[in-house]
Amino acid sequence: MRYVEEFRDPKAAKVLLAEIEKVTNEIGATKEKPVHIMEICGGHTHAIFRYGLDRLTPEGIEFIHGPGCPVCVLPMSRVDECVEIAELENVIFTTFGDAMRVPGTRKSLLQAKADGADIRMVYSPLDALELARRNPDREVVFFGLGFETTTPSTALSIQQAAREGLNNFSIFCNHITVPEPIKALLDDPHMVLDGFVGPGHVSMVIGVHPYDFIAEDYGKPLVVAGFEPLDLLQSVLMVLRQIRDGRAEIENQYARIVPEHGNPVSIAAMADVYQRRPSFEWRGLGEIDASGLRIRDQYKAFDAEEKFGIGYAAGPRNVQEPEGCECGAVMTGRIKPTACPQFGKGCTPEMPLGALMVSSEGACAAYWQYGGRRAVEAAE
Amino acid sequence: MTLRDTKVTLSHGGGGKAMRDLISEVFTCAFEPESKEDQARLMHDALLQPGAQLAFTTDSYVVTPVEFPGGDIGKIAVCGTVNDLAVGGAKPLWLSAAFIIEEGTDIALLRRIVASMKAEADKAGVKIVTGDTKVVGRGSADQVFITTSGVGVIPADRNLRADNIQPGDVAIVNGVLGDHGATILAARGDMMLTSDLKSDCAALGHLMEATCNAVPVRACRDATRGGIASALNEMAEAAGCAIEIIEEALPLRAEVKGTCEILGLDPLYLANEGTLVLFVAEEHAEAALAAMQSVDTGKEARIIGRAKAGNPLVTMRTAFGGSRIVDMLVGEQLPRIC
């Protein structure tokens, strides 16, 4: 089994699409009265557009693009702090590639690099750790960013650094968690959601049970989904069947990768290294209780906030989002990206103004890349 | 042999004996230009044909690492400039090569690069007839940068321009997509990827001659930076018509697809160094394919789509029967978080 091609089989897709259409009709969903399904993860948003799934599924299904792109939801103040650390003398600042373009108040990391800061793209915090070993006279800082998918590898790098007694390695921790913002969205009185497609890579780490509250407390179905087009179609069908049958359960479509209780090694590493912050700011969504992680005091030596007296260690800093950005309304499904007054005007991937245009997995960037731009041009 | 140094020093750019030794023992001994004058004097029978046009192009090459599986900066510098001439319908004849060398660069590395340029030029049937050498301080360049300019001759009856493309014309590529981009990504080592991929780096003059001699080619572009997606967008824009490509027809190696899956990149935007896309009228498609496949660099030639009436958009029909727009790339592709 090659584990990719079989999940892109057009024949199987046709069967699923026919069944999706049937169940959508049974629910009575139409273009005017659609079923609202939120794909939480930016990877899913991207796959939906890349394979044209939004055009293949019936008009009675409306996809709402959720907050699951860690680059998109990073507040501007944190980007500013990244730039400040990166511009310190003797620092090598390491980051995942797609965080390079996120605009801060003054500049992005890409611009800071052009201005002379030593900023390097890495694919894993373990690569940053290796840089620290090879450059004992320099301070190597890793921009810890992402949901539960990337959080364990950062934890492992801290544990390893502690074992080796490295004193020139630290993490600027911006790790966030998925269940809390979903709860915040569900508590939003403006929110109209009928079900969720959950991020498979996150559940690979935490399992499916952290989502139980969505079914139990809010009566909404969630299906943990893989990232291939057939995974997504099957997950949408599973959500639709639950809605049709009046059920609300947490189901696991991605069982070939996702263990029910997650990965115990990752969970243990996270518990050892991090504790929850009382709250964390999300771009477009504001402060969300207990949605961010900080490094425990035991590992304080590897916490860049402590080391450089920055971020939450330095007290709150209030940075205004650019005027006219409707990221919050897009992320909660109240408007489509193209309905934002800045879409394609003040805000494009070349000059992103708002969070969702920044990362290629943001909803607005996906709309733009796969045709939204043309829609704007055609309307003019 | 009077050149005893193993590394390039600033004195090799100073205009004195050290520079003369470097030039004669590394560059001109390999390229063998006919004269040692500052100018090359050029004559070729093709120039004497009525209606023939001169084609002239220039390009600079910077790549990290300078040596990678399937090629090096010298090979790219020859292939890239030969291809810029060839895709315009010119027979490539002469090249210049200007080197900016960082102080401290290994002379052995320079010799390898020069040997590779000579081998590729011989294969492509072009001569490197003039050149230049500059040495800059450590940190002012990354080992070596090369600028090559090329001169070729376009026969009187040949006119390859993107605005020649007509709706219904067939788009053909000569080989697999994205190998070069994926190879360089892996070779940089930043991503801790290992693969057996090699760059597709190749000179395409012979391929273009064979194809243009067999059928009237409407238009051609090489798909370098920005990949096949950018080349097709430029052509659609110039021709003022739509281009539709078929996802299942795109020649992509499993390793390239895999690298892109891991990093969240789209292979349509990965760079190529030996890949071109050309358009021919539908009735010439089979003959064009046969001509291309008769040449080494066209063995894997295949039809990937066609031009259609409509707005200048590139779209892709997905394996599902869905359709999506393949737009120009914004900035560079950056690997994603997860």
Side-chain angles (χ1 to χ4, degrees):
Chain A
M1 192 181 254
R2 297 174 61 194
Y3 253 61
V4 172
E5 301 300 330
E6 55 270 57
F7 296 103
R8 294 179 185 176
D9 176 14
K11 281 190 201 131
K14 277 198 182 115
V15 174
L16 282 170
L17 283 164
E19 189 60 19
I20 285 173
E21 181 150 15
K22 185 174 143 245
V23 180
T24 308
N25 290 336
E26 285 167 357
I27 293 169
T30 60
K31 187 180 180 186
E32 290 70 35
K33 256 190 82 182
V35 174
H36 296 91
I37 299 177
M38 173 177 276
E39 84 280 1
I40 297 159
C41 176
H44 283 153
T45 306
H46 195 75
I48 285 169
F49 286 103
R50 180 173 167 195
Y51 296 101
L53 302 186
D54 56 322
R55 298 185 196 190
L56 292 169
T57 45
E59 287 185 328
I61 298 174
E62 190 162 329
F63 288 105
I64 306 225
H65 317 300
C69 165
V71 174
C72 298
V73 294
L74 191 71
M76 207 175 243
S77 59
R78 301 296 278 186
V79 181
D80 289 347
E81 283 153 357
C82 284
V83 171
E84 282 167 30
I85 297 172
E87 287 182 337
L88 290 173
E89 212 169 302
N90 209 32
V91 162
I92 301 175
F93 193 83
T94 58
T95 173
F96 292 125
D98 50 359
M100 293 285 282
R101 265 201 291 260
V102 190
T105 315
R106 284 189 300 130
K107 54 179 107 168
S108 65
L109 285 169
L110 203 62
Q111 289 161 330
K113 185 174 192 305
D115 288 344
D118 190 350
I119 299 174
R120 307 193 193 176
M121 264 190 275
V122 292
Y123 194 57
S124 152
L126 298 170
D127 302 343
L129 197 61
E130 180 57 25
L131 267 176
R133 288 187 198 110
R134 276 195 256 140
N135 294 276
D137 300 333
R138 309 274 308 270
E139 281 291 335
V140 175
V141 184
F142 175 71
F143 183 13
L145 178 66
F147 290 101
E148 290 88 339
T149 324
T150 54
T151 307
S153 61
T154 314
L156 292 171
S157 73
I158 290 176
Q159 288 176 326
Q160 184 63 31
R163 273 195 294 273
E164 293 178 25
L166 279 179
N167 58 11
N168 66 328
F169 176 74
S170 61
I171 304 278
F172 183 45
C173 183
N174 289 273
H175 285 295
I176 45 181
T177 53
V178 167
E180 289 70 22
I182 300 180
K183 183 173 184 311
L185 289 173
L186 285 164
D187 285 335
D188 183 338
H190 301 292
M191 176 55 71
V192 194
L193 280 176
D194 300 301
F196 294 91
V197 172
H201 291 162
V202 167
S203 283
M204 190 171 77
V205 174
I206 62 172
V208 299
H209 292 298
Y211 298 122
D212 285 347
F213 73 95
I214 298 172
E216 288 164 8
D217 302 343
Y218 295 89
K220 307 281 184 195
L222 180 142
V223 176
V224 171
F227 291 82
E228 294 301 330
L230 289 192
D231 288 325
L232 273 166
L233 289 178
Q234 191 184 16
S235 302
V236 168
L237 179 59
M238 288 165 77
V239 171
L240 290 172
R241 281 181 175 153
Q242 287 201 43
I243 294 169
R244 179 195 62 190
D245 302 343
R247 289 182 289 128
E249 292 164 20
I250 308 303
E251 292 180 313
N252 183 9
Q253 180 276 337
Y254 205 27
R256 67 181 186 278
I257 301 285
V258 171
E260 188 187 340
H261 295 286
N263 179 328
V265 176
S266 297
I267 292 170
M270 291 197 297
D272 177 43
V273 171
Y274 309 109
Q275 67 186 83
R276 286 195 180 273
R277 298 178 193 269
S279 85
F280 194 77
E281 188 192 344
W282 292 57
R283 204 169 195 169
L285 296 176
E287 292 280 339
I288 298 177
D289 288 349
S291 63
L293 301 173
R294 65 173 283 257
I295 295 164
R296 285 187 188 279
D297 287 346
Q298 175 193 349
Y299 293 105
K300 201 154 68 175
F302 305 99
D303 185 347
E305 291 191 52
E306 296 289 337
K307 203 167 201 172
F308 301 103
I310 215 162
Y312 282 78
R317 93 164 65 181
N318 189 13
V319 176
Q320 290 297 315
E321 288 295 319
E323 247 180 72
C325 263
E326 296 280 3
C327 291
V330 174
M331 230 181 304
T332 47
R334 276 174 278 164
I335 63 168
K336 289 280 176 203
T338 42
C340 172
Q342 293 290 358
F343 183 84
K345 297 182 179 74
C347 186
T348 63
E350 289 101 329
M351 290 294 287
L353 191 62
L356 301 178
M357 193 63 96
V358 173
S359 158
S360 63
E361 294 186 357
C364 295
Y367 255 66
W368 181 267
Q369 187 181 350
Y370 295 122
R373 164 197 199 166
R374 308 290 176 165
V376 169
E377 285 169 2
E380 281 170 354
Chain B
M1 295 282 277
T2 50
L3 187 67
R4 299 232 166 99
D5 305 279
T6 57
K7 288 184 185 293
V8 174
T9 65
L10 288 175
S11 65
H12 290 112
K17 183 175 177 306
M19 184 167 124
R20 195 189 62 198
D21 291 347
L22 179 79
I23 291 172
S24 66
E25 291 185 33
V26 175
F27 297 104
T28 52
C29 67
F31 296 149
E32 297 176 333
E34 281 179 13
S35 78
K36 301 282 168 67
E37 305 295 320
D38 269 354
Q39 58 180 246
R41 291 153 199 178
L42 310 172
M43 180 36 90
H44 194 278
D45 286 350
L47 281 169
L48 303 174
Q49 304 305 314
Q53 286 180 299
L54 264 188
F56 179 39
T57 185
T58 190
D59 219 333
S60 296
Y61 297 86
V62 293
V63 59
T64 308
V66 291
E67 296 180 299
F68 47 82
D72 55 60
I73 189 171
K75 186 175 177 185
I76 290 192
V78 170
C79 294
T81 296
V82 164
N83 293 347
D84 283 346
L85 292 168
V87 297
K91 180 179 171 53
L93 293 173
W94 302 289
L95 300 185
S96 71
F99 294 78
I100 292 174
I101 306 163
E102 184 188 16
E103 176 189 20
T105 300
D106 284 336
I107 288 175
L109 170 70
L110 279 186
R111 288 188 200 276
R112 290 199 298 276
I113 290 170
V114 165
S116 156
M117 291 178 81
K118 167 70 171 156
E120 204 53 37
D122 286 350
K123 220 157 101 183
V126 295
K127 288 207 164 87
I128 298 168
V129 290
T130 186
D132 182 47
T133 309
K134 293 281 185 296
V135 178
V136 295
R138 192 179 267 279
S140 298
D142 187 1
Q143 291 187 294
V144 60
F145 299 157
I146 305 176
T147 297
T148 45
S149 300
V151 175
V153 177
I154 304 172
D157 56 352
R158 207 176 281 171
N159 170 10
L160 270 61
R161 283 165 47 149
D163 55 9
N164 291 338
I165 297 170
Q166 304 290 319
D169 286 356
V170 169
I172 306 177
V173 292
N174 66 309
V176 290
L177 304 173
D179 280 14
H180 178 74
T183 303
I184 294 295
L185 269 179
R188 278 186 191 154
D190 301 342
M191 303 297 164
M192 304 284 177
L193 291 172
T194 52
S195 84
D196 297 326
L197 281 171
K198 280 187 184 157
S199 167
D200 64 337
C201 188
L204 303 172
H206 298 313
L207 173 77
M208 280 305 288
E209 277 304 300
T211 317
C212 289
N213 289 337
V215 297
V217 176
R218 296 250 215 235
C220 183
R221 284 278 161 99
D222 51 347
T224 52
R225 259 181 313 170
I228 191 80
S230 302
L232 289 170
N233 268 286
E234 284 170 22
M235 294 176 101
E237 196 76 38
C241 67
I243 295 172
E244 184 186 64
I245 53 174
I246 311 298
E247 186 174 24
E248 288 159 299
L250 298 173
L252 289 164
R253 288 189 209 284
E255 275 195 288
V256 172
K257 282 193 202 174
T259 303
C260 287
E261 287 296 326
I262 291 169
L263 299 179
L265 307 178
D266 187 337
L268 295 179
Y269 297 97
L270 285 186
N272 307 281
E273 287 295 342
T275 302
L276 56 74
V277 54
L278 55 81
F279 283 79
V280 296
E282 180 154 27
E283 67 262 32
H284 298 308
E286 286 307 315
L289 270 179
M292 290 169 82
Q293 286 163 354
S294 73
V295 180
D296 261 0
T297 48
K299 287 233 170 334
E300 297 185 68
R302 66 170 81 179
I303 295 171
I304 59 159
R306 62 186 61 229
K308 290 165 69 173
N311 291 329
L313 275 183
V314 180
T315 56
M316 181 163 86
R317 184 139 38 95
T318 68
F320 286 2
S323 168
R324 73 160 163 102
I325 291 174
V326 179
D327 210 341
M328 291 290 274
L329 184 64
V330 175
E332 62 172 331
Q333 292 201 97
L334 297 173
R336 69 177 175 209
I337 278 184
C338 60

